[in-house]
Amino acid sequence: MKKLLTGNEAIARGAFEAGVTVAAAYPGTPSTEILENIAGYPEIYAEWSPNEKVALEVGIGASIAGARVLVAMKHVGVNVAADPLLTLAYTGVNGGLVLVSADDPGMHSSQNEQDNRYYAKFAQIPLLEPSDSQEAKEMLIEAYRLSEQFDTPVLFRTTTRVAHSQSLVELGEREEVPLKEYVKNAQKYVMLPAHGRMRHPIVEERREKLALYNETSAFNRIERGSSKIGIITSGIAYQYVKEAVPEASVLKLGMTYPLPKKLISSFVDSVETCYVVEELEPFLEEQLKAWGLKVIGKELFPRVGELSSELVAAKLSLGQSQHEVAASSAAPIPVRPPVLCPGCPHRGVYYVINKLRLKVAGDIGCYTLGATPPLSSMDTCICMGASISGALGMEKARGKEFARGLVAVIGDSTFMHSGMTGLVDVVYNGGTTTTLILDNSTTAMTGHQDHPATGMTLGKKQFKQIDLEQLVRALGVERVQVVDPYDLKAVEEALKTEVAIEEPSVIIFKRPCVLLKGHAPEGCVTVEQEKCKACGMCRKLGCPALVFKGDKPAVNATLCNGCGLCIQVCRFGAIREVE
């Protein structure tokens, strides 16, 4: 039976059919739906872990215990998990282990567009790259056999277009894979320096065997066409090539590390001109040129952003007059600035921060949207968990007086991910930073996933909820306030008080995301035009439910949910609840 699946759904299906019994992840676009779909298979234990490092460590433990394991994360998440990954490459596996890295060329929802294929080369582990949903499922199943045959984790790299595009997938039956026997083997799994030195030659030997295997791997194939143009490609770039240059000879690589030298050399020699078409970095091209092969790559194709069929055709001087491409993107799309949702509990906090002219060391999440006008209330945003430690660094560089105008802003999910260690550093090293935890009871930006402080697992089972206030106090912070962010007066008083104190403090602004079912305020507001003085104070909230046609606001009743922030900032009583 065939079914239309996204790449992420197909990966989940592949895990099911491959006999996976343990899966772990931290949510992050474009990888999030993999675990959400795996959670629908009761045969697989699936969890949201507090961060990607923990997810991989859970996977490593399960693999050593004999289970087949899937661990998923977005590309920047692999940075967090890199520490255990590099040593896992030495220990190898017991049950097969596949790490899915969902890269984001074009930065649709990311702070950078790093090319994680280099992690495979860095760790010297096999790398697979599907180009559509069917391949995603098939390759994942084969990845487990590869993992167990060569005693190695496998890096399974997708990109946003593969993860979120749909194509038909032939469904198969689940292979029931019994747990492998657990055998204590300290020399393999305890990476003392002496043991690590013993394992490194094994890693090198494995890499050579994998390269030999890849010469005849079914994941690679040559599609013969014109001998004038040859193209070496992989992943989603293969789809662009086939659409733009259907007459070309193509070497489609499915396993892109370690590369099959003989296969590639033979292909290059069989065509007059050979191009390498790949998104982002010249990962393939660098190795081919190091071998002395004459290929053309980044001389033509950009290292920045996504490719497309149109771009491939244009760079090869084909143009649409010769090759009509189906996915034309010529139509201009209006630019829509990012904005906090109407009724978002973060809005009031940022409004007051802006009013008090505080400096903000920010973090990753919905609250990043506070950086845009008119709130304009964020000075830095580097990576998950960097806000609190970054604020401490700013304080150490510029002194305590500077810290009195500085706050670190982080969400509840991100605090659980990697914010706690930063707060420990503040306490331990005598910082006076005020940390704001914007607790909206979910991981909102990636689609409302639960985390350890929500009281709910991925499978929607209730468990003991971690209390952020108690946790913060346990980390050594004595000054902790819990404030409703809809109460602007209380927000301002709390901020003024805590930034003035020369000791670490935390304010937990607690109110659930308005998009969580049952948590949006009820009602709507209206503007009495005769009372409005067009002072513009409500405009500073940046609420999309307030519409300005001229100097005075009106209310879009389809967006307004009556949070009441605009009522509080209006000095003339012109905004009121609709009775």
Side-chain angles (χ1 to χ4, degrees):
M1 183 182 75
K2 289 187 176 181
K3 191 173 181 181
L4 194 63
L5 298 178
T6 65
N8 282 348
E9 291 170 332
I11 291 170
R13 181 69 191 187
F16 167 75
E17 293 184 15
V20 167
T21 55
V22 176
Y26 181 80
T29 305
S31 69
T32 306
E33 298 83 4
I34 297 172
L35 258 285
E36 289 180 333
N37 281 279
I38 283 180
Y41 297 108
E43 297 85 352
I44 305 176
Y45 165 78
E47 71 163 47
W48 291 132
S49 302
N51 64 35
E52 297 85 355
K53 178 174 180 287
V54 173
L56 182 54
E57 290 162 347
V58 168
I60 292 170
S63 169
I64 292 173
R68 284 190 169 183
V69 179
L70 182 140
V71 181
M73 55 197 67
K74 68 181 297 176
H75 62 299
V76 291
V78 181
N79 302 336
V80 181
D83 193 4
L85 174 62
L86 272 289
T87 301
L88 172 64
Y90 275 40
T91 67
V93 302
N94 186 20
L97 189 150
V98 176
L99 171 60
V100 180
S101 168
D103 291 10
D104 189 17
M107 292 185 281
H108 296 281
S109 182
S110 306
Q111 63 270 43
N112 70 35
E113 54 182 359
Q114 68 189 44
D115 190 332
N116 274 8
R117 292 180 296 176
Y118 287 101
Y119 267 114
K121 190 173 184 179
F122 193 15
Q124 303 201 56
I125 59 176
L127 168 64
L128 303 181
E129 291 188 77
S131 65
D132 61 22
S133 299
Q134 179 68 44
E135 274 196 351
K137 194 204 81 165
E138 291 175 356
M139 278 190 180
L140 192 77
I141 295 170
E142 287 300 314
Y144 286 98
R145 295 174 187 147
L146 195 65
S147 175
E148 292 172 356
Q149 179 182 345
F150 289 92
D151 189 13
T152 178
V154 175
L155 187 63
F156 194 87
R157 188 238 193 187
T158 67
T159 54
T160 302
R161 296 294 170 184
V162 174
H164 291 162
S165 297
Q166 291 182 312
S167 62
L168 285 172
V169 176
E170 182 72 44
L171 303 185
E173 299 295 323
R174 175 175 169 85
E175 179 186 1
E176 293 298 341
V177 180
L179 276 176
K180 286 194 165 188
E181 182 183 3
Y182 171 72
V183 178
K184 181 177 179 178
N185 186 344
Q187 288 190 343
K188 187 172 189 292
Y189 295 119
V190 181
M191 281 302 96
L192 300 169
H195 295 167
R197 284 192 285 272
M198 292 167 59
R199 294 295 300 179
H200 196 177
I202 295 173
V203 173
E204 295 298 325
E205 183 181 346
R206 182 184 68 199
R207 179 180 53 77
E208 293 175 1
K209 290 179 178 177
L210 282 163
L212 187 61
Y213 162 87
N214 204 15
E215 294 286 355
T216 57
S217 169
F219 299 148
N220 309 320
R221 67 172 182 267
I222 294 175
E223 299 173 1
R224 283 293 173 195
S226 167
S227 62
K228 291 185 177 180
I229 299 178
I231 298 176
I232 299 172
T233 187
S234 66
I236 193 64
Y238 164 77
Q239 304 291 352
Y240 302 145
V241 165
K242 292 299 291 183
E243 190 172 348
V245 205
E247 75 276 18
S249 290
V250 175
L251 170 53
K252 179 189 181 303
L253 294 171
M255 182 170 166
T256 47
Y257 187 84
L259 287 170
K261 184 177 181 180
K262 288 183 180 177
L263 176 66
I264 292 173
S265 300
S266 173
F267 179 79
V268 172
D269 291 341
S270 71
V271 296
E272 289 183 18
T273 306
C274 189
Y275 300 90
V276 178
V277 181
E278 56 186 327
E279 283 185 327
L280 300 183
E281 299 301 314
F283 178 77
L284 303 175
E285 180 187 342
E286 283 179 342
Q287 184 60 66
L288 271 53
K289 288 183 173 176
W291 286 337
L293 299 177
K294 188 176 181 181
V295 295
I296 300 170
K298 294 303 175 184
E299 300 98 315
L300 282 181
F301 298 98
R303 296 175 74 154
V304 176
E306 292 184 295
L307 300 180
S308 66
S309 300
E310 298 95 325
L311 188 146
V312 172
K315 292 296 181 183
L316 295 178
S317 301
L318 298 172
Q320 282 189 265
S321 59
Q322 287 182 261
H323 299 286
E324 292 296 330
V325 292
S328 174
S329 59
I333 300 173
V335 176
R336 188 175 60 179
V339 64
L340 293 168
C341 300
C344 175
H346 303 338
R347 174 172 283 104
V349 176
Y350 277 120
Y351 170 82
V352 177
I353 286 174
N354 191 325
K355 178 181 176 182
L356 299 179
R357 300 183 183 279
L358 297 176
K359 294 174 280 294
V360 175
D363 224 295
I364 305 292
C366 288
Y367 35 91
T368 310
L369 301 175
T372 59
L375 297 169
S376 304
S377 298
M378 189 172 287
D379 294 56
T380 67
C381 179
I382 305 299
C383 67
M384 296 281 282
S387 57
I388 305 174
S389 44
L392 177 64
M394 295 169 83
E395 177 182 347
K396 293 300 182 185
R398 304 190 67 88
K400 291 184 178 179
E401 184 64 30
F402 183 84
R404 277 198 280 273
L406 171 69
V407 293
V409 176
I410 191 169
D412 48 328
S413 181
T414 314
F415 185 73
M416 297 305 302
H417 177 281
S418 50
M420 287 184 281
T421 47
L423 190 58
V424 168
D425 199 20
V426 170
V427 174
Y428 176 58
N429 285 301
T432 63
T433 300
T434 297
T435 298
L436 315 183
I437 301 178
L438 306 192
D439 179 5
N440 61 4
S441 304
T442 188
T443 313
M445 182 164 266
T446 52
H448 291 152
Q449 288 75 34
D450 286 291
H451 59 73
T454 66
M456 200 76 74
T457 67
L458 171 59
K460 298 302 177 187
K461 291 181 180 178
Q462 285 191 322
F463 74 114
K464 185 173 177 57
Q465 182 177 7
I466 292 179
D467 187 308
L468 286 176
E469 183 179 357
Q470 291 186 31
L471 175 60
V472 167
R473 292 187 187 280
L475 294 180
V477 179
E478 296 180 358
R479 296 189 61 86
V480 184
Q481 293 194 47
V482 180
V483 177
D484 181 356
Y486 276 177
D487 185 342
L488 293 184
K489 183 178 179 181
V491 170
E492 185 167 341
E493 287 178 355
L495 282 169
K496 285 180 175 177
T497 300
E498 298 306 330
V499 297
I501 300 294
E502 282 198 4
E503 64 176 285
S505 61
V506 171
I507 308 172
I508 302 173
F509 291 108
K510 187 174 182 60
R511 183 172 276 271
C513 172
V514 291
L515 298 183
L516 284 174
K517 188 176 181 180
H519 289 285
E522 295 181 355
C524 183
V525 303
T526 187
V527 180
E528 295 185 21
Q529 297 293 322
E530 65 279 7
K531 291 185 178 179
C532 178
K533 306 299 182 186
C535 67
M537 289 300 292
C538 59
R539 191 193 289 268
K540 294 182 178 180
L541 286 168
C543 179
L546 290 176
V547 181
F548 289 83
K549 295 179 179 178
D551 294 334
K552 293 186 177 182
V555 176
N556 183 337
T558 62
L559 294 177
C560 178
N561 51 32
C563 72
L565 292 178
C566 54
I567 296 175
Q568 295 178 62
V569 302
C570 181
R571 294 173 294 177
F572 304 103
I575 306 177
R576 62 170 175 79
E577 292 182 3
V578 175
E579 298 175 354

